[in-house]
């Protein structure tokens, strides 16, 4: 793999529009059984560093790397010498001499991941930082493309905390013409203004619309209702009474009736009775577990892109 191109995915903003569309389309191709013989990671060594718990993302990238011909080295929260004071820069300088790709869930800052990516040998993939979850957004877009055959013009209602999943989805969906993302978040728990401002810029250029309100009233008719669990991995809330603010944003049957043909998405894990009722999560409109499977297909597309194994596609997804 020494002569291969390396690309980093720390944020959705690291992707050009055509690159993002190409990854999404490639994920859908993998899901449809096309490209199963591809081995762009042949002889590559992929490290997975997960300081926080993970079921879908860790399994998706591990299985994806193996299916693409790679080999795995796994690191947990206490396995590296950074725990004894070694700097991120020194750690990256060493790992990059032995690994081709590092998939890292730090639940920390983007700056730390950028420090990992500052070397020129090893691709770095953000498997979830505190601010953004870019591989989840690519999974979500892959799910939408598979279900609707398009992303342009789709309307999505997101209810709940403006967390790293919401931030990434805001950056990604706003880059498709005619899309609408309606964020309904509790007061004090909205999407960071930076992401809203960037989405407005993308929308002005490409035609996507993102709006945020802090109430669950007058819900728009949409194609998809999306939520995430109220307590994001690796975080805590200062307000001991925070649940009171979140209760009105639970997705239940009444919310789903705002879009009679709407599908339900959730990045999982789910807490039935908190952010979503069991009736919705386990009901016929739910594609949450299909969405989880798509993380594996999308992970393969991301890995392939990061090692330069496939060119970015044109923007026709």
């Amino acid at each position: 793999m020494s002569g291969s191109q390396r690309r980093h995915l720390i944020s959705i903003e690291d992707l050009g529009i055509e690159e993002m569309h190409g990854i999404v389309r490639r994920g859908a191709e993998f899901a449809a059984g096309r490209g199963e013989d591809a081995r762009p990671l042949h002889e590559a060594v992929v490290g997975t560093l997960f300081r926080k718990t993970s079921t879908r993302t860790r399994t998706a990238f591990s299985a994806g790397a193996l299916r693409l011909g790679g080999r795995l080295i796994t690191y947990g929260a206490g396995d590296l010498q950074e725990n004894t004071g070694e700097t991120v820069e020194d750690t990256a300088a060493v790992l990059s001499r032995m690994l081709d790709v590092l998939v890292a869930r730090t639940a920390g800052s983007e700056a730390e991941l950028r420090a990992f990516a500052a070397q020129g040998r090893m691709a770095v993939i953000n498997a979830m930082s505190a601010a953004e979850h870019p591989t989840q957004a690519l999974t979500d877009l892959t799910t939408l493309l598979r279900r609707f055959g398009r992303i342009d013009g789709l309307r999505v209602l997101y209810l709940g905390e403006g967390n790293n999943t919401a931030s990434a989805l805001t950056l990604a969906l706003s880059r498709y013409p005619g899309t609408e993302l309606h964020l309904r978040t509790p007061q004090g728990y909205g999407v960071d203004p930076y992401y809203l401002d960037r989405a407005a810029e993308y929308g002005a250029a490409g035609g996507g619309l993102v709006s945020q309100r802090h109430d669950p009233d007058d819900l728009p008719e949409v194609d998809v209702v999306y939520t995430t669990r109220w307590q994001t991995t690796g975080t805590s809330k200062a307000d001991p009474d925070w649940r009171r603010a979140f209760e009105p944003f639970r997705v239940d049957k009444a919310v789903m009736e705002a879009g009679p043909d709407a599908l339900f998405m959730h990045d999982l894990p789910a807490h039935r009775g908190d952010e979503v009722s069991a009736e919705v999560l386990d009901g016929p409109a739910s594609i949450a577990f299909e969405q989880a499977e798509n993380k594996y297909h999308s992970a393969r597309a991301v890995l392939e892109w990061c090692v330069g194994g496939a060119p970015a596609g044109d923007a026709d997804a």
Side-chain angles (χ1 to χ4, degrees):
M1 296 287 294
S2 59
S4 298
Q5 181 182 3
R6 297 288 187 271
R7 303 182 179 112
H8 306 301
L9 178 59
I10 310 301
S11 167
I12 287 294
E13 293 195 272
D14 292 329
L15 301 172
I17 292 177
E18 291 185 359
E19 291 176 305
M20 185 179 74
H21 289 197
I23 291 172
V24 171
R25 186 173 58 253
R26 185 60 166 162
E29 289 174 354
F30 277 128
R34 298 193 294 276
E36 291 297 313
D37 295 332
R39 294 293 182 271
L41 296 184
H42 177 62
E43 297 185 348
V45 181
V46 178
T48 59
L49 170 60
F50 280 76
R51 295 182 189 152
K52 300 296 180 180
T53 57
S54 174
T55 298
R56 281 146 292 277
T57 304
R58 182 171 180 170
T59 304
F61 276 97
S62 298
L66 292 170
R67 291 287 174 83
L68 293 178
R71 297 177 174 86
L72 283 177
I73 298 177
T74 62
Y75 308 104
D79 289 344
L80 298 177
Q81 292 288 5
E82 59 183 5
N83 290 281
T84 65
E86 185 169 40
T87 67
V88 171
E89 290 80 6
D90 287 354
T91 301
V94 172
L95 293 181
S96 66
R97 285 166 166 78
M98 305 177 191
L99 302 178
D100 297 288
V101 182
L102 178 67
V103 181
R105 168 166 291 188
T106 64
S109 69
E110 182 179 303
E112 181 183 24
L113 288 167
R114 296 285 177 199
F116 270 115
Q119 44 67 43
R121 299 184 178 193
M122 175 181 70
V124 177
I125 298 171
N126 176 5
M128 192 185 75
S129 62
E132 191 182 337
H133 197 352
T135 64
Q136 182 61 52
L138 294 170
T139 294
D140 298 339
L141 296 177
T142 300
T143 302
L144 294 173
L145 180 60
R146 291 192 66 198
R147 267 288 172 159
F148 293 94
R150 63 182 173 87
I151 299 174
D152 293 3
L154 292 180
R155 303 161 299 170
V156 178
L157 170 64
Y158 177 97
L159 290 101
E161 186 174 31
N163 56 19
N164 43 33
T165 290
S167 297
L169 188 63
T170 296
L171 290 177
L173 200 60
S174 59
R175 300 170 86 177
Y176 284 84
T179 56
E180 297 178 13
L181 176 58
H182 301 275
L183 300 160
R184 297 298 181 91
T185 59
Q187 188 70 45
Y189 297 96
V191 171
D192 187 284
Y194 170 81
Y195 295 99
L196 296 175
D197 290 344
R198 292 296 289 144
E201 293 174 15
Y202 288 135
L209 170 68
V210 174
S211 65
Q212 178 169 250
R213 284 173 48 177
H214 300 300
D215 64 76
D217 303 325
D218 301 320
L219 297 178
E221 184 171 337
V222 292
D223 303 295
V224 174
V225 176
Y226 193 136
T227 194
T228 68
R229 65 176 175 172
W230 288 343
Q231 192 71 52
T232 304
T233 300
T235 66
S236 60
K237 295 178 173 61
D239 180 5
D241 198 31
W242 63 266
R243 284 183 174 274
R244 185 186 299 273
F246 278 74
E247 288 287 341
F249 295 85
R250 178 180 295 112
V251 178
D252 55 19
K253 184 178 178 181
V255 169
M256 294 302 298
E257 288 175 350
D261 297 318
L263 299 177
F264 173 73
M265 293 174 63
H266 192 306
D267 60 355
L268 301 179
H271 292 183
R272 292 169 177 82
D274 279 355
E275 75 275 6
V276 60
S277 68
E279 181 181 23
V280 171
L281 181 63
D282 301 317
S286 175
I287 57 171
F289 292 94
E290 175 184 321
Q291 181 184 358
E293 178 186 341
N294 285 332
K295 178 156 279 192
Y296 161 62
H297 304 306
S298 183
R300 285 187 286 172
V302 169
L303 286 164
E304 186 179 59
W305 177 82
C306 282
V307 300
D314 54 29
D316 63 357

